[in-house]
Structures are given as C-alpha cells and as structure tokens.
Amino acid sequence: MSIKQSIKNITPEPLWNELRGVKEQISGGKARRIQSRRFMRWVSRNSSTDKARIETRLAFGIHRLEKGLSHVQFRDGFGRGVLAEISRRMSLLEKADSEYRKNPLYLQGLAVLHEYQRRHEADGYDLSSIKSMFPEHIWNAACKYRLEDHAVKAGSFMMNASSKIDNLNKGFVELAEHRYSVREYSSDAVSQKVLDKVYAVAMKTPSVCNRQATRVYQITDSEKIERALKIQGGFGGYAMPPVLLLVTSDIRAFMNSNERNEPFVDGGLFSMSLLYALEAYGLAACPLNAMFSLSQDQATRKLLNIPDYEMPIMYITVGGFPNSVPVCCSVRRSPESIVTRI
Ligand SMILES: Cc1cc2nc3c(=O)[nH]c(=O)nc-3n(C[C@H](O)[C@H](O)[C@H](O)COP(=O)(O)O)c2cc1C
C-alpha cells in the first residue's frame, strides 16, 4: 500500500477532503502564477524588436487600416496614428528579418498602404503629409505594389448579398472560405425563427465532458446594444447592428483550477459554431472581443445583468447582408507557416 493510501486510511474523511482542498489551492495558485508570468514574458510589447512580436503589432496596425478602408462612409485622410504605427513596425521588421522582402506581413503592409494611396488618389486627396511619415523606400514600394508580383492581398473588397443567397446548400469548405466579418448591415429585421435555428446548430458544439457551459445573451434593445458596444470599444464608427449576442461561460460547470482556461476554449468553440451557422443561414456577423478591463467587465455585467459565475467570452454582431458591403481582406498565414509535423 502506498504511503498516501495509508495516511488516507487513518485520516477522517472530512479532514482528508479539507487537506485535498488546501493542496489544490496551493498547486492551483502556482499554476496560475506561472501561466500569468509566461504570458507576460512573451506578449508583444511596444519595445519588442524580435520578428514575431513586431509582426504582431504590424498585423494589428494593418487590420486597423483595413477596417478604415472598409467603412461604407470612407473618410479621406483617416488613420494618421495607425499609419505612423505601420511605418514604425515595417522599419523594425526590416531590421529583424533579413528576408523581409518576402515576409507576408511586410507585403501586407505594402498592399494595404497601396490601397490607401490608390483610394486617396482617386479622390484627389493630397497625401504629402502622410507620405512624410514613411521612409521613402517603403512609400515608393507601396506605390509600385502589384498583387500579381507578390500574391499577398490586403485592404478591403466589396461583398454582395447575392453571393450568400444559396449558403444553406453550400458545402462546408465553400461556406468557410467565403465567411468574412461584416460590420455593416441591411435595414431588414433579423428573424427570431432563423436565430433559433442558428442556436440549434451551435448546440452541437463539443464541450469538455459534454458539460455545455456556454450561455448566450441575445440583445435586441437598441439602446442596450449601443451602451454595450460603447463599453466594448472595438466597434467605433459603425452603425449599430440589429442584434448583438454575448457569449459567456458558466463557471459552475468546471471543477478545479486545472480547468481554468476551459471556459474560454468551450466558449470559443461555441462562438465559432455560431458564426458558421449564422453564415449558413444567410446572416452577416462579426465577432467582437470581450477583453475587458475590470471597469468594462463591471459595467457590462451591470448593463446586461450577467451573474458573477459567468465569464464573458465574446460578442457577435448580427444583421442581414446589405446588397453590397466593403469588408476587410484579413489575409491568413499559410498553413505551412503554422503547422509543425512531429
Ligand atoms: C475573439 C475575436 C475578437 C474580435 N474583436 C473584434 C473587435 O473588437 N472589433 C472588430 O471590428 N473586429 C473584431 N474581430 C474580428 C476580427 O478582426 C476578424 O475576425 C479577423 O480580422 C479575421 O477576419 P474575418 O473574420 O473576416 O475572417 C474579432 C474576432 C475575434 C475572433
């Protein structure tokens, strides 16, 4: 018999359970601390000079510029702050990556800048002050950027509602390849019947031990939507969506500290099912982060009456596809660049 088993045999059960609880608290606290330290050790910082972490901030900048380019109401001269950011990260990437001319993020930077230049030239807008924010060779490379030469796209394109009519009959690969985040919606009301079908599909999402911890708040009160998105802060400049979903995870479905990340895993999987089901039923959608500060978390809980035992996972805006709408390209890395075969 093991020493542990011998001690267990002579220890009263309530005391044994108490001791197990204390052990779990200590090891859980350690695991959380190590996880948090690892996260903070490796996140991309403003001062980061290595390739991976410069790429993170360049990708963030490119996406912000793409969002500006994909607004229905295009605003000439927008994005000076983000353009300065892109200029800085591209210059840093030149130093961090000797192969920067072939770097997909660097090429995306040129491509998105190219679209920015082209759209402003078409409007006759003087870009000289923006040009001065870039090293000359980057600005000129962007001017000359041709998709045919590099096969890396970035920026925005127009999506038509007509391409979505037959979505329910499409196979999964085609459906997934054509799903994009859409941030502006038609004026049509969203049918509750269709939303209920969407939820029914998403219920088939796998979850740890089938515990099904995910909860969904469907918000249609326009005032609440506006207040929630104001607190969220990542949907500025767009008209309010007719429907806003908040996906949360019920922590009561989990049992110990080792499961602390599972609410996000299960909630994330469920959210992706929702996104595909929305796409299949011909509804436009955009996931929005719930990376709340403490005050955002408190304000959101109060506004939407979210109980303490639930964790916000993400929002999803939902609406009908407008006849045509500009969307961000959001180019992906190649599979070879992320898959390690062991
Ligand atoms: C968890 C999560 C949070 C996101 N947060 C925001 C957000 O706050 N604002 C926004 O406009 N888009 C947000 N997005 C949408 C992403 O920008 C978008 O999914 C990404 O660029 C890929 O583009 P695609 O969805 O068109 O394929 C978020 C996406 C995810 C998955």
Side-chain angles (χ1 to χ4, degrees):
M1 192 187 296
S2 70
I3 299 175
K4 185 178 168 191
Q5 192 59 44
S6 313
I7 298 173
K8 189 177 176 189
N9 287 348
I10 55 167
T11 310
E13 202 181 323
L15 179 60
W16 179 255
N17 288 339
E18 180 111 342
L19 288 172
R20 270 182 49 173
V22 172
K23 184 175 168 239
E24 143 92 15
Q25 282 232 344
I26 294 170
S27 62
K30 189 174 169 195
R32 284 194 298 277
R33 272 196 308 282
I34 288 175
Q35 182 180 35
S36 166
R37 283 189 199 137
R38 176 175 294 129
F39 188 80
M40 293 318 292
R41 196 160 54 243
W42 290 106
V43 286
S44 169
R45 295 178 190 280
N46 192 25
S47 54
S48 296
T49 50
D50 59 295
K51 177 173 168 278
R53 285 181 276 191
I54 295 167
E55 285 178 350
T56 300
R57 283 174 184 258
L58 179 55
F60 183 49
I62 290 168
H63 186 60
R64 282 169 64 203
L65 202 67
E66 281 190 331
K67 275 174 71 175
L69 290 167
S70 70
H71 269 293
V72 170
Q73 298 290 340
F74 183 77
R75 195 167 51 81
D76 279 322
F78 78 91
R80 280 170 187 271
V82 68
L83 285 157
E85 173 73 9
I86 290 174
S87 170
R88 171 152 185 251
R89 302 300 161 193
M90 286 180 77
S91 303
L92 283 169
L93 197 53
E94 288 178 356
K95 293 192 190 106
D97 182 7
S98 58
E99 301 268 300
Y100 74 87
R101 284 192 182 83
K102 285 189 266 169
N103 182 303
L105 259 304
Y106 189 86
L107 292 172
Q108 274 184 47
L110 294 180
V112 76
L113 202 50
H114 179 79
E115 182 175 334
Y116 188 90
Q117 294 166 338
R118 206 173 38 80
R119 297 270 293 271
H120 283 85
E121 272 156 27
D123 286 357
Y125 185 87
D126 178 12
L127 281 180
S128 45
S129 68
I130 288 175
K131 182 179 175 188
S132 67
M133 291 160 54
F134 284 84
E136 210 174 330
H137 68 282
I138 293 183
W139 186 261
N140 290 341
C143 281
K144 285 189 231 138
Y145 189 86
R146 280 166 21 113
L147 184 59
E148 307 84 273
D149 297 339
H150 306 285
V152 173
K153 281 199 304 185
S156 65
F157 71 96
M158 289 304 276
M159 176 181 272
N160 294 319
S162 57
S163 66
K164 303 292 176 183
I165 289 170
D166 199 30
N167 268 9
L168 259 188
N169 296 317
K170 288 179 185 163
F172 177 72
V173 174
E174 190 184 358
L175 194 80
E177 277 177 351
H178 291 94
R179 185 210 56 80
Y180 283 87
S181 287
V182 175
R183 297 175 175 85
E184 287 168 275
Y185 307 98
S186 71
S187 53
D188 303 344
V190 176
S191 144
Q192 185 63 50
K193 247 191 187 163
V194 176
L195 285 175
D196 291 341
K197 287 183 186 171
V198 165
Y199 302 141
V201 173
M203 291 312 294
K204 192 67 185 70
T205 307
S207 63
V208 64
C209 311
N210 202 23
R211 283 186 237 162
Q212 304 174 64
T214 309
R215 306 288 175 262
V216 178
Y217 293 81
Q218 177 187 312
I219 313 153
T220 47
D221 174 336
S222 56
E223 206 181 297
K224 283 219 161 98
I225 290 178
E226 192 159 357
R227 285 168 64 195
L229 290 181
K230 197 164 176 212
I231 297 167
Q232 190 268 348
F235 201 68
Y238 299 102
M240 288 301 111
V243 179
L244 180 65
L245 307 180
L246 175 63
V247 179
T248 69
S249 279
D250 185 334
I251 303 167
R252 295 173 301 176
F254 302 98
M255 295 191 287
N256 61 51
S257 181
N258 289 346
E259 299 187 349
R260 66 189 173 281
N261 300 317
E262 204 54 37
F264 302 108
V265 175
D266 289 5
L269 287 171
F270 192 93
S271 301
M272 193 67 240
S273 295
L274 279 176
L275 287 169
Y276 280 137
L278 288 162
E279 177 76 16
Y281 280 105
L283 287 169
C286 179
L288 299 179
N289 77 78
M291 304 185 289
F292 296 150
S293 66
L294 270 184
S295 63
Q296 284 172 304
D297 183 75
Q298 280 163 1
T300 304
R301 284 178 189 281
K302 194 165 164 214
L303 176 69
L304 303 175
N305 212 9
I306 310 298
D308 188 54
Y309 51 77
E310 288 182 26
M311 278 179 170
I313 305 300
M314 70 177 79
Y315 279 117
I316 299 178
T317 55
V318 183
F321 281 101
N323 282 340
S324 74
V325 62
V327 293
C328 300
C329 290
S330 291
V331 178
R332 300 301 203 265
R333 291 170 189 265
S334 67
E336 309 84 73
S337 72
I338 64 126
V339 175
T340 305
R341 297 193 202 177
I342 296 174

